[in-house]
């Protein structure tokens, strides 16, 4: 059990990491201010059984002064170091020729553990050269530990390959659950572990200050987190730089490209990298421009509060611009997070209403459900701006709950919704869209996006029930509807192409598929989740033409996109899975692996009562799988497909999220995600997360 000592938690897991460093190792402890580096080194030196010394570097130290401080620190634990100290005290001593060789010889004869703290303060060329030489070939059986706010100028490839370099950074120095529990218990805080994590992100100094302040607001005492950050962390940056960081913090987590777009600049990556080199704290600046810039929650709070004090209203303006740009880029979940972060509840309700149909049409039901989780159960029933999103999440077949939900709004003709209609009108349209009542022929609103979205979905219900003529009629009737969602239009064309191909009109199918692809390309929607149905028809056409390479490429793209969809657009998903499974059997894939795709499609189809066409397709696929399983040679030398569940985990691996956070995102257990990761590594024949990302990208499983 972790114990706290004089208010500071004893960090046994990190002490053990330092204690267990192998002979000759170089240990780099690198983190921003407030991560407890100095406290950790002191705790370690007080508790270790090794001959250990901690030396604090100073900005005025050159190599000679630093070596003299090291020698003086070693004398109490190793009498033989007195000779080294006497050499270091001599004014004429040459650090490179006299003192350093004597120190290295001492370290090679005795098992020393030497830690130099605050290495970021060293600025003289000789002191930095000294660190380089010590780190380059520190001898066994001793260990060298260098700690500071930035990585010291030392080689990460050692002269002796067997001597490792061990890095402890901010993720390792964050408090873990046991350490937080110990501090909460000893400080008698009125905060739970989860509240502390939410308010401080696990940042040790933030948690410690919370204990000192003993205030749920972390701010009414003499020592506050904000004052600590301002005095000890942010003082090195100019007001202009801090304003810029405030804007970045308000937008993060976001990619460099997103930040550039909102701030109307093209140098975000370069500026953040330069600030990071100067010791920018608690912010992750990715080397990959598509990965997110992540700002520590506690730091973001301080930076944005400071910005709002200096420039009132600037954050509201920034978020309005960011939300508008996110809408145009179809990045709706990012826009939702921005509005929620600023506390714009009214704007958030309007946003949910206007975004519900685009989200549903793109198969993003899981994301929409996550949005609704941010509201109370009462709001989801009583707020007319939210009730329609709630009804869509309850789909596809919970008729009683949908009717009950709409009943209380069916007579509301006074509330004005964002599209100008009233809840009474909107309820009628939704019941029509869900197939629960006949359409009102005088309602022109049904000829717009509402009708298009529901019609494209309804058409595939008809297709699944083998009513191809009716399905095609519905899809063609929507071609002249206005306004139209481009993505839904492309999906409708793709479905028309599938019907044309399956009714013997191959040339027409090719033209329709080409039109769908052009719409996707023009809208930069190539990686949009619902685009998998466009890939499905391209797969069918390529397979028919004998181009199995293109067909496999399309199958991979479809599976990659389906991993983003979750449980949305289920019948379309079943159609695509059946087609992908058939292709992989044709390619000689392991039958047992393809079976997982067939089972997933069958589970989807089983939820519908009338699916005679899909039932026949599944029966044919099942027959092919049975024959393939009876041929032992077909299994030899074939690889194993990554399952849909594994693909959902795989798409998070390039991110900064831990396995626990990924589990939270997917609403599954940590052990499930861990097992799926192990299976992914095995199937990709890799040994690490980074290798899995590289291999999956090369195979097209990650965009």
């Amino acid at each position: 059990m972790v114990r706290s000592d004089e208010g500071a938690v004893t960090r046994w897991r990190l002490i053990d990491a330092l204690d267990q460093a192998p002979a000759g190792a170089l240990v780099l402890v690198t983190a921003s201010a407030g991560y407890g580096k100095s406290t950790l080194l002191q705790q370690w030196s007080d508790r270790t059984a090794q001959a250990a010394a901690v030396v604090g570097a100073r900005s005025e130290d050159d190599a000679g002064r630093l070596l003299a401080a090291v020698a003086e620190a070693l004398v109490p634990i190793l009498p033989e170091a007195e000779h080294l100290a006497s050499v270091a005290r001599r004014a004429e001593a040459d650090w490179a020729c006299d003192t350093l060789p004597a120190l290295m010889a001492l370290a090679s004869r005795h098992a020393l553990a030497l830690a130099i703290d605050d290495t970021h303060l060293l600025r003289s060329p000789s002191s930095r050269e000294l660190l380089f030489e010590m780190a380059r070939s520190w001898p066994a059986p001793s260990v060298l530990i260098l700690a500071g706010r930035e990585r010291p100028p030392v080689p990460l490839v050692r002269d002796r390959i067997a001597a490792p370099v061990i890095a402890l950074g901010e993720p390792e120095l964050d408090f873990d659950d046991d350490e937080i529990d110990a501090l909460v218990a000893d400080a008698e805080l009125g905060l739970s572990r989860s509240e502390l994590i939410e308010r401080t992100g696990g940042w040790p100094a933030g948690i410690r200050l919370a204990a000192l302040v003993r205030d749920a607001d972390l701010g009414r005492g003499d020592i506050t987190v904000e004052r600590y950050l301002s005095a000890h962390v942010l003082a090195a940056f100019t007001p202009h730089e801090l304003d810029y960081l405030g804007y970045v913090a308000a937008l993060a987590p976001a990619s460099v490209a997103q930040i550039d777009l909102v701030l109307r600049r093209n140098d975000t990556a370069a500026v953040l990298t330069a600030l990071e080199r100067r010791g920018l704290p608690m912010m992750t600046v990715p080397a990959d421009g598509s990965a997110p810039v992540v700002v520590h929650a506690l730091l973001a709070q301080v930076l944005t509060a400071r910005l709002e004090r200096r420039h009132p209203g600037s954050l509201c303006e920034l978020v309005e611009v960011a939300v508008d740009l996110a809408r145009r880029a179809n990045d709706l979940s990012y826009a939702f997070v921005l509005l929620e972060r600023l506390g714009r509840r009214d704007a958030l309700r309007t946003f949910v209403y206007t975004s519900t149909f685009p989200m549903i049409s793109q198969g993003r039901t899981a994301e929409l459900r996550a949005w609704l989780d941010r509201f109370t159960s009462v709001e989801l029933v009583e707020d007319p701006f939210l009730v329609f999103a709630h009804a869509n999440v309850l789909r596809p077949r919970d008729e009683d709950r949908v009717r009950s939900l709409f009943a209380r709004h069916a007579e509301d003709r006074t509330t004005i919704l964002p599209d100008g209609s009233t809840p009474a009108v909107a309820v009628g349209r939704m019941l029509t869209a869900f197939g629960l009542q006949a359409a009102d022929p005088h309602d022109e609103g049904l000829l717009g996006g509402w009708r298009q979205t529901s019609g494209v979905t309804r058409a595939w219900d008809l297709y699944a029930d083998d009513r191809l003529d009716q399905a095609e009629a519905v899809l063609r009737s929507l071609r002249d509807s206005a306004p139209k969602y481009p993505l839904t239009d492309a999906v409708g064309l793709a479905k028309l192409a599938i019907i044309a191909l399956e009714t013997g009109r191959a040339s027409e199918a090719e033209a329709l598929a080409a039109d769908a692809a052009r719409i996707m390309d023009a809208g930069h929607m190539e990686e949009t989740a619902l685009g998998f149905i466009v890939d499905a028809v391209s797969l069918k056409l390529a397979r028919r033409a004998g181009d199995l390479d293109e067909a496999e490429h399309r199958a991979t793209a479809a599976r990659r996109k389906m991993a983003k969809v979750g449980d949305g657009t289920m019948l379309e998903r079943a159609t695509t899975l059946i087609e992908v499974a058939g292709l992989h059997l044709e390619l000689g894939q392991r039958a047992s692996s393809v079976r997982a795709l067939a089972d997933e499609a069958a589970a989807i189809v089983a939820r519908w009562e009338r699916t005679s066409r899909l039932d026949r397709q599944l029966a044919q696929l099942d027959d092919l799988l049975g024959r393939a399983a009876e041929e032992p040679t077909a299994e030899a030398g074939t690889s194993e497909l990554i399952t849909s569940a594994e693909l959902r985990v795989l798409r998070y691996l390039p991110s900064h999220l831990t396995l626990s956070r990924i589990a939270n995102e997917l609403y599954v257990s940590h052990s499930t995600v861990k097992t799926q990761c192990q299976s992914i590594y095995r199937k990709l024949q890799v040994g690490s997360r980074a290798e899995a990302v590289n291999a999956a990208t090369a195979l097209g499983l990650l965009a």
Side-chain angles (χ1 to χ4, degrees):
M1 175 65 184
V2 176
R3 300 288 182 187
S4 64
D5 181 16
E6 297 179 356
V9 172
T10 304
R11 313 199 67 185
W12 286 110
R13 62 184 175 88
L14 297 175
I15 292 170
D16 288 343
L18 297 180
D19 239 6
Q20 294 165 12
L26 169 63
V27 182
L28 300 177
V29 183
T30 309
S32 306
Y35 274 83
K37 300 179 295 296
S38 299
T39 301
L40 168 63
L41 293 180
Q42 191 58 57
Q43 290 180 349
W44 162 75
S45 66
D46 290 343
R47 289 162 176 79
T48 183
Q50 303 180 65
V54 178
V55 177
R58 301 166 302 176
S59 57
E60 65 270 19
D61 282 342
D62 58 14
R65 291 193 187 96
L66 182 57
L67 276 170
V70 168
E72 296 295 343
L74 290 176
V75 169
I77 63 171
L78 189 67
E80 190 177 337
E82 180 57 48
H83 172 70
L84 172 64
S86 65
V87 172
R89 293 186 197 111
R90 292 203 301 266
E92 71 278 8
D94 184 319
W95 72 266
C97 297
D98 301 325
T99 319
L100 179 59
L103 173 61
M104 301 293 268
L106 195 66
S108 66
R109 293 195 300 271
H110 302 276
L112 300 176
L114 173 63
I116 301 179
D117 194 14
D118 292 330
T119 57
H120 61 279
L121 296 178
L122 296 172
R123 288 293 176 259
S124 76
S126 67
S127 63
R128 296 169 74 82
E129 185 181 353
L130 170 64
L131 289 188
F132 183 93
E133 291 300 327
M134 291 173 67
R136 185 172 65 87
S137 53
W138 188 253
S142 295
V143 173
L144 178 63
I145 303 169
L146 301 179
R149 296 185 187 178
E150 57 189 74
R151 190 176 72 78
V154 299
L156 296 182
V157 177
R158 313 289 298 284
D159 282 0
R160 302 175 321 287
I161 300 302
V165 176
I166 301 170
L168 298 178
E170 293 178 1
E172 291 78 23
L173 292 171
D174 273 344
F175 273 18
D176 66 12
D177 289 345
D178 285 344
E179 291 164 341
I180 294 174
D181 284 343
L183 189 139
V184 170
D186 286 7
E188 298 179 355
L189 281 176
L191 296 171
S192 67
R193 176 209 298 166
S194 60
E195 288 173 319
L196 272 175
I197 288 288
E198 183 179 353
R199 292 170 183 272
T200 67
W203 184 45
I207 293 175
R208 177 69 190 124
L209 287 169
L212 291 173
V213 175
R214 301 190 182 197
D215 185 327
D217 292 330
L218 304 185
R220 292 201 290 266
D222 292 335
I223 303 174
T224 67
V225 172
E226 182 170 358
R227 288 181 186 175
Y228 181 87
L229 283 169
S230 299
H232 298 283
V233 178
L234 301 178
F237 300 93
T238 67
H240 177 72
E241 289 169 338
L242 291 176
D243 286 348
Y244 168 72
L245 290 173
Y247 290 123
V248 171
L251 296 172
S255 69
V256 166
Q258 285 175 313
I259 295 172
D260 270 341
L261 186 64
V262 176
L263 299 184
R264 297 180 182 179
R265 54 196 300 158
N266 58 9
D267 61 348
T268 293
V271 172
L272 290 180
T273 300
L275 293 174
E276 186 180 38
R277 287 174 181 158
R278 287 173 45 201
L280 178 66
M282 295 178 287
M283 185 178 290
T284 301
V285 183
D288 178 4
S290 62
V293 174
V294 181
V295 181
H296 193 292
L298 188 60
L299 180 64
Q301 176 184 329
V302 172
L303 287 170
T304 53
R306 175 194 173 279
L307 181 65
E308 190 62 20
R309 286 196 303 271
R310 280 173 51 84
H311 307 287
S314 60
L315 283 179
C316 288
E317 295 175 7
L318 177 77
V319 169
E320 286 176 5
V321 171
V323 168
D324 180 58
L325 291 172
R327 276 185 182 279
R328 296 184 191 181
N330 199 36
D331 196 354
L332 299 179
S333 281
Y334 178 60
F336 180 92
V337 169
L338 285 176
L339 288 170
E340 184 185 34
R341 188 183 302 148
L342 200 63
R344 303 275 298 278
R345 297 293 285 183
D346 287 341
L348 204 60
R349 295 165 56 241
T350 300
F351 180 79
V352 170
Y353 181 87
T354 57
S355 301
T356 292
F357 280 100
M359 293 288 281
I360 293 298
S361 72
Q362 296 170 36
R364 295 162 65 178
T365 310
E367 288 179 70
L368 184 58
R369 183 181 294 111
W371 290 7
L372 298 182
D373 286 343
R374 310 301 294 178
F375 297 93
T376 67
S377 57
V378 173
E379 287 177 305
L380 296 182
V381 172
E382 296 184 354
D383 190 330
F385 283 68
L386 302 175
V387 72
F388 300 103
H390 189 195
N392 274 276
V393 167
L394 293 177
R395 288 184 74 198
R397 289 294 180 265
D398 201 339
E399 180 177 330
D400 291 340
R401 289 185 67 189
V402 169
R403 288 188 183 279
S404 172
L405 194 62
F406 285 159
R408 67 180 65 213
H409 301 280
E411 303 302 322
D412 183 353
R413 292 179 172 81
T414 57
T415 303
I416 303 300
L417 296 170
D419 58 3
S421 67
T422 65
V425 172
V427 163
R429 290 173 175 172
M430 288 292 288
L431 288 171
T432 300
F434 289 175
L436 300 180
Q437 73 175 29
D440 178 357
H442 303 293
D443 184 359
E444 295 297 323
L446 282 174
L447 298 178
W450 291 64
R451 183 184 172 207
Q452 187 200 24
T453 302
S454 59
V456 168
T457 303
R458 172 64 176 156
W460 223 237
D461 291 352
L462 295 167
Y463 168 89
D465 193 30
D466 214 10
R467 290 183 279 173
L468 268 60
D469 289 346
Q470 295 178 49
E472 185 170 358
V474 169
L475 290 170
R476 290 195 181 281
S477 71
L478 299 174
R479 297 296 301 128
D480 297 325
S481 298
K484 287 190 290 220
Y485 300 126
L487 177 62
T488 315
D489 196 23
V491 168
L493 286 168
K495 291 180 177 180
L496 278 172
I498 290 174
I499 294 172
L501 188 59
E502 293 185 6
T503 53
R505 295 171 285 156
S507 58
E508 182 183 343
E510 290 174 359
L512 289 165
D515 287 343
R518 274 194 291 272
I519 292 173
M520 299 292 283
D521 291 342
H524 304 288
M525 297 182 291
E526 298 89 341
E527 286 302 317
T528 303
L530 196 59
F532 69 75
I533 196 69
V534 179
D535 289 311
V537 69
S538 298
L539 187 165
K540 289 175 73 72
L541 289 167
R543 192 177 174 191
R544 182 178 183 277
D547 188 351
L548 295 184
D549 287 342
E550 174 63 13
E552 186 175 18
H553 168 71
R554 290 294 186 171
T556 301
R559 296 198 69 215
R560 182 176 67 235
K561 294 167 189 175
M562 282 191 290
K564 303 176 184 177
V565 174
D567 60 359
T569 59
M570 289 189 290
L571 286 177
E572 293 87 341
R573 185 189 188 97
T575 296
T576 305
L577 286 167
I578 291 169
E579 194 64 37
V580 170
L583 171 68
H584 282 297
L585 272 181
E586 186 177 348
L587 292 173
Q589 189 65 253
R590 190 186 297 271
S592 58
S593 184
V594 177
R595 171 66 67 181
L597 298 177
D599 289 346
E600 184 181 352
I604 293 170
V605 173
R607 302 178 195 176
W608 265 258
E609 293 180 4
R610 303 177 63 179
T611 54
S612 55
R613 186 174 190 83
L614 294 184
D615 289 338
R616 284 201 309 276
Q617 293 173 353
L618 280 169
Q620 292 167 358
L621 178 59
D622 191 62
D623 183 55
L624 291 173
L625 282 166
R627 279 188 254 161
E630 293 172 1
E631 301 174 9
T633 54
E635 299 286 314
T638 55
S639 59
E640 197 172 354
L641 283 174
I642 291 178
T643 67
S644 297
E646 290 163 357
L647 279 172
R648 283 192 283 274
V649 171
L650 178 63
R651 72 187 183 93
Y652 285 100
L653 294 189
S655 72
H656 66 286
L657 298 179
T658 63
L659 296 189
S660 295
R661 290 282 303 281
I662 293 173
N664 292 339
E665 291 287 325
L666 296 174
Y667 301 98
V668 297
S669 69
H670 175 271
S671 61
T672 296
V673 171
K674 185 175 182 180
T675 299
Q676 288 169 345
C677 277
Q678 291 169 345
S679 180
I680 290 169
Y681 293 176
R682 174 177 57 79
K683 292 177 181 180
L684 294 178
Q685 299 180 349
V686 298
S688 70
R689 183 167 175 168
E691 290 175 353
V693 169
N694 291 336
T697 302
L699 291 171
L701 296 171
L702 292 171

